[in-house]
Amino acid sequence: MTQPNSPLNDDSLPLPAEEWAAHEGVPLLKTLARALLILEGTAGLDAFTLPYPPEAQRALDRTALACLVRGEEPPASLAELIDRCRTLPLAKWPLDLPTDAAGPEDMLLDPMSGRPGDLCHEWAERCPDTAARFRDRLIVHTALRLCREYGEEEAYTEFRRLLVRRPVLTVAELSALGADLVLEPVHELITRIYQDVPDSYLRDGHYTTCGRCLTLLVPVRDGSWWCERDRCRRTGPAPLGRRLERATTGRPVQLERPLRQFVTGPGRAEADLERQLLDLGLDVRMWPGYDAYDLLVTFPDGHRWAIDVKDWAHPVFLGRSARPVPADPPYDDGFWVVPQYRVAARPGYLAAFARARPARARGLPLLTDRALASRAAARLREIGRPRTRPRAEVLTTTRRNRATPDGARHA
């Protein structure tokens, strides 16, 4: 994530109107995505009655019109529309969509749980005309401003680590953060961005976190669990992490959804890449220069890489937001990096990104995290310093690797 000082540095940039506005399928998909998020946030996608929320009714009406124009059978109800959103890939909808707008398997709802996935959030929140569009950027910008006013770059770094490593807290843990002097500039902000967890996360008197991404798991009727992160669902069944007993710890709090989606999620990818590079023996500084970019990597010969990690499902949204990595703190080579699983899940991801890039970012390389780590290892061999650090040393050399209450390590 890059500091949001101007519209040009906002990675929530809308789609290019000159290329996509003529396709009625694009605004319809945005309307559908927003409607699904509104329904989930109000009554749940399986518990709604007439009259429907205005955005949901609008989505149903516009979808019915699109079907009728093309001689297709329209959905007869909101329930049928929602069922289509979780069973029918977008590429098979009767929509006029531009190139790269939808992959062959893209769906707005997860087919197993029926809940909005990352792609649904990106369609709703990375496009214009949505109140949630800048919510994550507003919070991060506020934290940056407060930490700058205090002159405490470390406070901002620890704030970002908090959002990445501790998306779920007990009330006691949230209260204890008030005594952390490093986080003093953002104490009040922290109390505002953690919200009470609804009962939909409760099973047998417990709330359970995902052992991979640390967010709360949602109980599914068949006895399984659903994780809101695409990466976890594609990796396999979610491993159970912390179990918080309601009777003992009370109702926990979690980061609001835009922050979990666009800060915690990508932050896990940043932390994973940091660990890989530390294991190679490289010096890694996270979010340098008040989050000018994500990682500043220094090789033994002094050569420096600047890296921005982008964990986005849609390659065109990512491509349209592409821009050169900020020049300060200085570096020798700059990269954007996307997790390998995103490229594996969407055929032609890298090519779609390249086609969507604006002129100012034509020279910006996009690598997978796996390719970036391999390139770093190759460069170490080239300069004759193929060294690695023992795992124990990596985990104890910096403050960021101290243990957290959830049993995980700061990455």
Side-chain angles (χ1 to χ4, degrees), residues 282-283 297-305 375-377 379-380 383:
L282 294 167
D283 179 76
V297 180
T298 304
F299 286 82
D301 62 354
H303 193 87
R304 305 212 294 183
W305 284 1
R375 183 176 293 197
R379 190 177 189 283
L380 284 171
I383 65 176

Side-chain angles (χ1 to χ4, degrees), residues 179-201:
D180 189 326
L181 296 180
V182 175
L183 290 171
E184 183 178 1
V186 289
H187 279 165
E188 183 177 354
L189 182 62
I190 289 171
T191 64
R192 293 178 181 273
I193 61 178
Y194 280 90
Q195 302 175 339
D196 287 342
V197 172
D199 288 342
S200 58
Y201 290 90

Side-chain angles (χ1 to χ4, degrees), residues 31 62 78 106 144 205 215 238 243 249 289-290 333 346 383 398:
T31 299
R62 291 181 180 178
L78 186 57
D106 283 355
L144 281 165
T215 59
R243 298 184 75 235
T249 63
Y290 289 98
D333 297 305
R346 173 72 179 265
I383 65 176
T398 63

Side-chain angles (χ1 to χ4, degrees), residues 93-157:
W93 284 55
L95 301 176
D96 179 19
L97 293 173
T99 302
D100 298 328
E105 302 300 325
D106 283 355
M107 287 187 281
L108 293 177
L109 296 180
D110 177 68
M112 297 298 294
S113 69
R115 287 176 172 261
D118 288 355
L119 191 71
C120 185
H121 282 272
E122 289 182 14
W123 270 106
E125 298 173 4
R126 295 298 185 188
C127 297
D129 306 322
T130 165
R133 175 185 169 198
F134 292 119
R135 178 62 180 174
D136 59 307
R137 304 306 297 166
L138 175 63
I139 295 299
V140 172
H141 181 79
T142 301
L144 281 165
R145 177 180 58 79
L146 292 170
C147 294
R148 281 199 178 100
E149 289 175 356
Y150 274 73
E152 294 287 348
E153 185 174 348
E154 184 184 3
Y156 176 76
T157 300

Side-chain angles (χ1 to χ4, degrees), residues 102-307:
E105 302 300 325
D106 283 355
M107 287 187 281
L108 293 177
L109 296 180
D110 177 68
M112 297 298 294
S113 69
R115 287 176 172 261
D118 288 355
L119 191 71
C120 185
H121 282 272
E122 289 182 14
W123 270 106
E125 298 173 4
R126 295 298 185 188
C127 297
D129 306 322
T130 165
R133 175 185 169 198
F134 292 119
R135 178 62 180 174
D136 59 307
R137 304 306 297 166
L138 175 63
I139 295 299
V140 172
H141 181 79
T142 301
L144 281 165
R145 177 180 58 79
L146 292 170
C147 294
R148 281 199 178 100
E149 289 175 356
Y150 274 73
E152 294 287 348
E153 185 174 348
E154 184 184 3
Y156 176 76
T157 300
E158 289 305 308
F159 175 77
R160 284 295 303 275
R161 290 193 186 282
L162 176 70
L163 270 55
V164 172
R165 298 300 305 181
R166 302 178 69 185
V168 179
L169 297 171
T170 65
V171 173
E173 290 166 355
L174 179 63
S175 177
L177 290 176
D180 189 326
L181 296 180
V182 175
L183 290 171
E184 183 178 1
V186 289
H187 279 165
E188 183 177 354
L189 182 62
I190 289 171
T191 64
R192 293 178 181 273
I193 61 178
Y194 280 90
Q195 302 175 339
D196 287 342
V197 172
D199 288 342
S200 58
Y201 290 90
L202 193 63
R203 172 181 281 171
D204 298 330
H206 289 80
Y207 301 93
T208 303
T209 65
C210 174
R212 277 192 292 260
C213 70
L214 310 182
T215 59
L216 282 173
L217 294 172
V218 179
V220 182
R221 292 175 181 174
D222 64 4
S224 63
W225 300 89
W226 182 81
C227 180
E228 67 187 27
R229 296 301 302 161
D230 283 1
R231 184 172 192 172
C232 282
R233 297 197 302 276
R234 290 195 172 98
T235 300
L240 303 187
R242 275 210 300 175
R243 298 184 75 235
L244 303 174
E245 186 178 15
R246 173 82 172 265
T248 302
T249 63
R251 185 188 299 271
V253 294
Q254 65 178 343
L255 286 172
E256 56 186 62
R257 188 62 166 96
L259 289 173
R260 300 200 311 273
Q261 180 68 35
F262 296 117
V263 180
T264 305
R268 296 298 308 144
E270 295 162 10
D272 290 346
L273 182 58
E274 179 197 24
R275 187 173 298 276
Q276 293 179 61
L277 296 173
L278 285 172
D279 284 348
L280 290 174
L282 294 167
D283 179 76
V284 182
R285 181 181 168 195
M286 297 296 289
W287 309 297
Y290 289 98
D291 199 13
Y293 42 83
D294 293 327
L295 296 88
L296 177 60
V297 180
T298 304
F299 286 82
D301 62 354
H303 193 87
R304 305 212 294 183
W305 284 1
I307 301 167

